[in-house]
Amino acid sequence: MPEIAPRTVTLRLNQQQLELLDRTLPRAGVTDRAELVRLALREAAEQEAAR
Amino acid sequence: MTRTLISEEIIAPGTGKAIELLKGQVLRIEQVEGGQCVDFNAFNLHDYKEFMHCGRTRTVHGFNPSAGTFLWSAPPRENAMMYFLADTVGRNDVLFPRCSAFLYESAYGFHDHTNCHDIQAEAQREYGLTPDDVHDSFNFFMFTEVEVGGTVKIDRQSSKPGDHVELLALMDVLAVPNVCGADVMRTSNFSLKPIRVSVFQASAEDLAQVPALPRLASQRTPAQFRNPTIKATRELTRDPAYRPEFTNAPIREETLEVALSGEEAAMLDRLARRELYGDDDGAALRDVLFSWWETRFLTAANGAPSMETDAAG
Ligand SMILES: [Zn+2]
């Protein structure tokens, strides 16, 4: 299987969505928004694989 | 403290009764002959603008609420008005609105016919309410089902004499049960029968059954309304002094750059809902993010105030 290249994705988020992300940071044990998004992606992929 | 009987009456076919039910009192609605649908509404006794809301109730408890659920008031109050203490049948409806004169005229050609809207209106007129103040009813003993494809069907019911539901008032309410007027539909097995309605002072055991609920800041009172005055005229006229104050408006979007490794990019490609978002990676990743948040952190299913978490603030 060919390697997939790293890439940067741009999310558009409003002030309410950002507020929820910021309140979630300590609960998820991460310190910045992008790290939280990557955590969500990895955990969602794990759940998908476990299904 | 044992349960004590305060009052009891028979509600005749074609009629309903507005009953003052104080906090800590139990209303029992009981089958006399069996097979009778009972439509029900409730208002805050001290503020009729707060009323039981079937939409809120079915969102929280589903299409067939039974014992162990609450009857909620409409936004922006969203208080648990009553606790559903007992239900010997376990079949109720919150999908259908009260039946109305229009239904019996349009479908059956009746000029005059018993119908729940008019019965509710006539019963609550005792307290100064108008026909416009009737709300969608909680329909006890009514057997309905949602079919694949989304249509809803009414079927016959199997309640027997003595079958009953019991509602505990969590605030002072005006409770309005009525004998459903539908005799030409299967709702009440094609006949109209009396219903027994009893009011009890709740026992300690009754009160102990009610699950604790958080008190949330969003459960508002009229004191928090920008316009707390009940409108007293029918005509709608524009307020020239009106300036909109919508919450959090204007909505402003910002961008968040997220660098993905090759492995993470492959994960996104596996998870992305391309049928919805096409090649918009940002929208696909935002969906992954908030879907993940729901599975990880959402405890209040369908917007129900969580009974596990504490009230914020
Ligand atoms: Zn009816």
Side-chain angles (χ1 to χ4, degrees), chain A residues 7 9 11 13 15-16 24, chain B residues 248 254 256 260 269 281:
Chain A
R7 65 180 190 263
V9 175
L11 276 71
L13 298 164
Q15 71 265 40
Q16 305 181 123
T24 303
Chain B
N248 288 355
E254 290 176 35
L256 175 66
L260 300 182
D269 287 340
D281 269 358

Side-chain angles (χ1 to χ4, degrees), chain A residues 4 6-18 20-21 24 27 37-38 40-43 45, chain B residues 248 250-260 262 264-265 267 269 281-282 285-286 290 292-293 296-297:
Chain A
I4 294 200
R7 65 180 190 263
T8 295
V9 175
T10 303
L11 276 71
R12 299 188 62 79
L13 298 164
N14 68 42
Q15 71 265 40
Q16 305 181 123
Q17 294 170 317
L18 290 168
L20 183 61
L21 295 196
T24 303
R27 301 175 73 184
V37 176
R38 284 187 291 267
L41 178 59
R42 289 193 300 272
E43 290 195 1
Chain B
N248 288 355
I251 295 294
R252 292 178 307 272
E253 284 191 338
E254 290 176 35
T255 58
L256 175 66
E257 307 272 311
V258 181
L260 300 182
E264 289 162 344
M267 290 173 184
D269 287 340
D281 269 358
L285 186 52
R286 185 177 56 201
F290 288 109
W292 165 82
W293 195 95
R296 177 87 188 262
F297 296 110

Side-chain angles (χ1 to χ4, degrees), chain B residues 81-241:
Chain B
M81 298 180 76
M82 308 184 87
Y83 181 63
F84 202 156
L85 263 182
D87 181 358
T88 63
V89 179
R91 203 75 206 195
N92 304 292
D93 171 78
V94 283
L95 291 170
F96 279 86
R98 69 278 187 193
C99 60
S100 63
F102 182 93
L103 167 69
Y104 295 101
E105 183 182 359
S106 63
Y108 299 92
F110 286 106
H111 183 263
D112 293 304
H113 192 274
T114 52
N115 69 85
C116 291
H117 179 92
D118 287 345
I119 298 171
Q120 285 278 322
E122 182 57 15
Q124 65 189 38
R125 187 170 65 84
E126 189 174 0
Y127 285 80
L129 295 172
T130 76
D132 286 331
D133 297 314
V134 179
H135 304 288
D136 279 0
S137 49
F138 197 121
N139 307 311
F140 295 112
F141 310 105
M142 184 177 181
F143 191 111
T144 55
E145 273 179 323
V146 182
E147 300 181 296
V148 177
T151 54
V152 187
K153 80 164 200 221
I154 304 171
D155 213 337
R156 297 165 188 82
Q157 58 166 296
S158 57
S159 68
K160 299 285 184 290
D163 273 332
H164 59 268
V165 295
E166 289 177 347
L167 304 162
L168 170 66
L170 303 177
M171 62 169 70
D172 296 351
V173 299
L174 187 70
V176 191
N178 78 273
V179 174
C180 173
D183 51 2
V184 289
M185 290 172 228
R186 52 194 67 194
T187 318
S188 298
N189 304 355
F190 301 104
S191 68
L192 302 180
K193 282 92 53 188
I195 285 292
R196 179 177 290 109
V197 175
S198 318
V199 175
F200 300 89
Q201 190 63 46
S203 67
E205 293 72 43
D206 292 331
L207 299 174
Q209 284 188 52
V210 184
L213 285 172
R215 176 81 209 162
L216 302 180
S218 55
Q219 291 172 302
R220 291 184 217 129
T221 68
Q224 295 162 283
F225 293 179
R226 286 198 191 96
N227 177 7
T229 310
I230 296 175
K231 191 169 143 40
T233 56
R234 292 184 186 277
E235 184 73 13
L236 293 172
T237 54
R238 187 174 178 276
D239 173 5

